[in-house]
Amino acid sequence: MVRSVVVALVFGLGMAGGVSAQHEAELEAANNNIANTASLQRGAKYFVNYCLGCHSAKYVRYNRLGEDLQISDQQLIDNLMFTGERPFDLMEVRMKPEDAQRWFGVTPPDLSLIARSRGTDYIYTFLRSFYIAPDSPTGVDNVVLPGTAMPHVLWPLQGTQRAVFTADEHGVELFEGFEAVRPGELDEREFDDVVRDIVNFLDYIGEPIKRERQQLGIRVIGFVLGFLLIAFMLKKEIWKDVA
């Protein structure tokens, strides 16, 4: 079964505490936009195919997802509902917790709030920062979260890469960058767009009301500014004959 794209974001921290922080890469800006419905639709597709086999988003219902992302019930059933039977079902996994514990050593966490707890920049950088590590049980490590137990499930899209480290005057290894080893199905820009879509979707499910709240805020601010303009013009008209 495919491991989740972001399994290590929650429980992996405890497994990497002994690794030097000098290995870690600086976070890059995700620049995601939850107002981009097309991006959210693609992110939902990637989430279902790469994450939902092990991880739930138990605070989100399929029909709410369809309403916000402009996806019909039939499209939901045909393309996204691999773990639900009815449009009003929650996005939950069928894998039993005891099976997950036996197979993975941990129970994969729910990802509904991962973007709010870790931040979109963290997820974006993490998903792009796997590198070959022969000594790792999964064959890979990550410069954002050294010692992570998560495999690189997006490697067919990104390909594989090698991390380049240099030692400073104290012998501490510092991360310099990546070298491509094997190309994936996508070029670098296309893969970055895929990751950004996943991050965008995780950002959306963390607070589905956020888009509506932002749009309402813009309308309220517009109303207040318009009212202030009218009040100013009215004040000038009333007091125009006063010396």
Side-chain angles (χ1 to χ4, degrees):
M1 184 176 292
V2 176
R3 294 286 302 272
S4 164
V5 172
V6 285
V7 61
L9 299 184
V10 174
F11 59 78
L13 287 173
M15 304 183 65
V19 182
S20 174
Q22 279 78 5
H23 286 226
E24 299 176 10
E26 294 183 2
L27 300 185
E28 298 184 41
N31 294 323
N32 62 299
N33 177 15
I34 61 172
N36 187 337
T37 301
S39 173
L40 291 176
Q41 291 173 345
R42 294 190 299 268
K45 176 185 69 175
Y46 297 130
F47 178 83
V48 167
N49 282 280
Y50 288 96
C51 304
L52 195 56
C54 299
H55 291 261
S56 63
K58 63 184 179 181
Y59 300 117
V60 181
R61 295 187 184 276
Y62 284 102
N63 57 354
R64 173 60 190 268
L65 178 70
E67 179 182 349
D68 290 346
L69 273 56
Q70 302 174 17
I71 301 173
S72 68
D73 285 353
Q74 191 59 49
Q75 289 174 318
L76 282 174
I77 295 172
D78 293 342
N79 301 299
L80 296 179
M81 291 183 57
F82 301 151
T83 64
E85 299 178 356
R86 298 156 298 185
F88 53 82
D89 283 346
L90 296 169
M91 298 185 73
E92 296 182 319
V93 297
R94 298 305 185 194
M95 182 174 56
K96 297 180 180 179
E98 54 270 25
D99 290 337
Q101 183 70 34
R102 184 172 67 254
W103 296 334
F104 305 138
V106 292
T107 300
D110 179 82
L111 298 181
S112 301
L113 302 177
I114 189 66
R116 297 182 67 177
S117 64
R118 298 302 297 175
T120 55
D121 292 350
Y122 182 95
I123 302 173
Y124 177 72
T125 310
F126 175 83
L127 294 178
R128 297 165 60 251
S129 299
F130 285 93
Y131 65 92
I132 296 174
D135 295 335
S136 169
T138 60
V140 294
D141 204 343
N142 193 291
V143 295
V144 174
L145 189 62
T148 179
M150 176 182 166
H152 185 18
V153 297
L154 294 178
W155 76 264
L157 304 180
Q158 185 187 29
T160 56
Q161 57 190 1
R162 180 183 298 109
V164 178
F165 297 98
T166 59
D168 63 11
E169 63 274 16
H170 303 293
V172 178
E173 287 189 332
L174 303 175
F175 172 67
E176 293 291 330
F178 293 111
E179 292 180 349
V181 175
R182 177 181 177 184
E185 299 173 8
L186 306 177
D187 61 32
E188 183 177 356
R189 182 190 60 80
E190 291 172 334
F191 180 73
D192 288 350
D193 288 341
V194 168
V195 174
R196 187 171 291 107
D197 290 337
I198 295 173
V199 173
N200 210 24
F201 179 74
L202 292 173
D203 192 15
Y204 153 73
I205 65 174
E207 188 182 359
I209 197 67
K210 184 177 181 179
R211 294 202 307 172
E212 182 178 343
R213 175 170 55 78
Q214 290 177 339
Q215 293 170 357
L216 177 61
I218 293 173
R219 291 196 294 268
V220 170
I221 292 174
F223 171 79
V224 171
L225 292 177
F227 180 80
L228 288 175
L229 178 61
I230 293 174
F232 176 74
M233 295 175 62
L234 181 61
K235 181 258 186 186
K236 289 187 64 176
E237 179 65 25
I238 293 175
W239 292 91
K240 66 180 180 179
D241 296 326
V242 178

